[in-house]
PDB file of all heavy atoms in Angstrom:
ATOM      1  N   VAL B1604     -10.226  12.348  -1.317  1.00 75.00           N
ATOM      2  CA  VAL B1604      -8.745  12.397  -1.234  1.00 75.00           C
ATOM      3  C   VAL B1604      -8.270  12.651   0.066  1.00 75.00           C
ATOM      4  O   VAL B1604      -7.282  11.908   0.640  1.00 75.00           O
ATOM      5  CB  VAL B1604      -8.249  13.445  -2.233  1.00 75.00           C
ATOM      6  CG1 VAL B1604      -6.749  13.725  -2.029  1.00 75.00           C
ATOM      7  CG2 VAL B1604      -8.514  13.161  -3.632  1.00 75.00           C
ATOM      8  N   GLY B1605      -8.925  13.480   0.922  1.00 75.00           N
ATOM      9  CA  GLY B1605      -8.630  13.711   2.278  1.00 75.00           C
ATOM     10  C   GLY B1605      -8.620  12.473   3.215  1.00 75.00           C
ATOM     11  O   GLY B1605      -7.758  12.167   3.914  1.00 75.00           O
ATOM     12  N   ILE B1606      -9.701  11.694   2.924  1.00 81.00           N
ATOM     13  CA  ILE B1606      -9.876  10.514   3.674  1.00 81.00           C
ATOM     14  C   ILE B1606      -8.892   9.490   3.432  1.00 81.00           C
ATOM     15  O   ILE B1606      -8.272   8.814   4.329  1.00 81.00           O
ATOM     16  CB  ILE B1606     -11.326   9.990   3.535  1.00 81.00           C
ATOM     17  CG1 ILE B1606     -12.340  10.996   4.179  1.00 81.00           C
ATOM     18  CG2 ILE B1606     -11.530   8.673   4.256  1.00 81.00           C
ATOM     19  CD1 ILE B1606     -13.776  10.685   3.864  1.00 81.00           C
ATOM     20  N   SER B1607      -8.673   9.272   2.075  1.00 79.00           N
ATOM     21  CA  SER B1607      -7.954   8.214   1.611  1.00 79.00           C
ATOM     22  C   SER B1607      -6.444   8.393   1.948  1.00 79.00           C
ATOM     23  O   SER B1607      -5.613   7.521   2.255  1.00 79.00           O
ATOM     24  CB  SER B1607      -7.986   7.956   0.092  1.00 79.00           C
ATOM     25  OG  SER B1607      -7.465   9.167  -0.620  1.00 79.00           O
ATOM     26  N   GLY B1608      -5.991   9.728   2.055  1.00 75.00           N
ATOM     27  CA  GLY B1608      -4.649   9.931   2.503  1.00 75.00           C
ATOM     28  C   GLY B1608      -4.270   9.468   3.813  1.00 75.00           C
ATOM     29  O   GLY B1608      -3.036   9.124   4.074  1.00 75.00           O
ATOM     30  N   LEU B1609      -5.288   9.402   4.714  1.00 86.00           N
ATOM     31  CA  LEU B1609      -4.957   8.986   6.103  1.00 86.00           C
ATOM     32  C   LEU B1609      -5.351   7.497   6.328  1.00 86.00           C
ATOM     33  O   LEU B1609      -4.976   6.862   7.305  1.00 86.00           O
ATOM     34  CB  LEU B1609      -5.575   9.858   7.089  1.00 86.00           C
ATOM     35  CG  LEU B1609      -4.846  11.168   7.458  1.00 86.00           C
ATOM     36  CD1 LEU B1609      -5.720  12.121   8.259  1.00 86.00           C
ATOM     37  CD2 LEU B1609      -3.539  10.911   8.259  1.00 86.00           C
ATOM     38  N   SER B1610      -6.106   6.930   5.335  1.00 88.00           N
ATOM     39  CA  SER B1610      -6.610   5.575   5.680  1.00 88.00           C
ATOM     40  C   SER B1610      -5.557   4.563   5.772  1.00 88.00           C
ATOM     41  O   SER B1610      -5.649   3.578   6.599  1.00 88.00           O
ATOM     42  CB  SER B1610      -7.586   5.114   4.472  1.00 88.00           C
ATOM     43  OG  SER B1610      -8.758   5.991   4.549  1.00 88.00           O
ATOM     44  N   ALA B1611      -4.466   4.693   4.976  1.00 86.00           N
ATOM     45  CA  ALA B1611      -3.332   3.735   5.108  1.00 86.00           C
ATOM     46  C   ALA B1611      -2.684   3.712   6.518  1.00 86.00           C
ATOM     47  O   ALA B1611      -2.392   2.708   6.973  1.00 86.00           O
ATOM     48  CB  ALA B1611      -2.287   4.064   3.996  1.00 86.00           C
ATOM     49  N   VAL B1612      -2.615   4.883   7.143  1.00 90.00           N
ATOM     50  CA  VAL B1612      -2.037   5.020   8.474  1.00 90.00           C
ATOM     51  C   VAL B1612      -2.914   4.257   9.368  1.00 90.00           C
ATOM     52  O   VAL B1612      -2.526   3.623  10.328  1.00 90.00           O
ATOM     53  CB  VAL B1612      -1.876   6.457   8.832  1.00 90.00           C
ATOM     54  CG1 VAL B1612      -1.145   6.561  10.182  1.00 90.00           C
ATOM     55  CG2 VAL B1612      -1.080   7.224   7.708  1.00 90.00           C
ATOM     56  N   VAL B1613      -4.254   4.462   9.283  1.00 92.00           N
ATOM     57  CA  VAL B1613      -5.278   3.682  10.118  1.00 92.00           C
ATOM     58  C   VAL B1613      -5.057   2.181  10.083  1.00 92.00           C
ATOM     59  O   VAL B1613      -5.079   1.529  10.982  1.00 92.00           O
ATOM     60  CB  VAL B1613      -6.749   4.079   9.787  1.00 92.00           C
ATOM     61  CG1 VAL B1613      -7.708   3.304  10.508  1.00 92.00           C
ATOM     62  CG2 VAL B1613      -6.984   5.550  10.100  1.00 92.00           C
ATOM     63  N   VAL B1614      -4.807   1.774   8.825  1.00 91.00           N
ATOM     64  CA  VAL B1614      -4.574   0.194   8.595  1.00 91.00           C
ATOM     65  C   VAL B1614      -3.306  -0.142   9.215  1.00 91.00           C
ATOM     66  O   VAL B1614      -3.180  -1.248   9.837  1.00 91.00           O
ATOM     67  CB  VAL B1614      -4.546  -0.027   7.101  1.00 91.00           C
ATOM     68  CG1 VAL B1614      -4.176  -1.438   6.895  1.00 91.00           C
ATOM     69  CG2 VAL B1614      -5.941   0.279   6.434  1.00 91.00           C
TER      70      VAL B1614
END
Side-chain angles (χ1 to χ4, degrees):
V1604 170
I1606 294 171
S1607 66
L1609 279 167
S1610 292
V1612 184
V1613 172
V1614 173

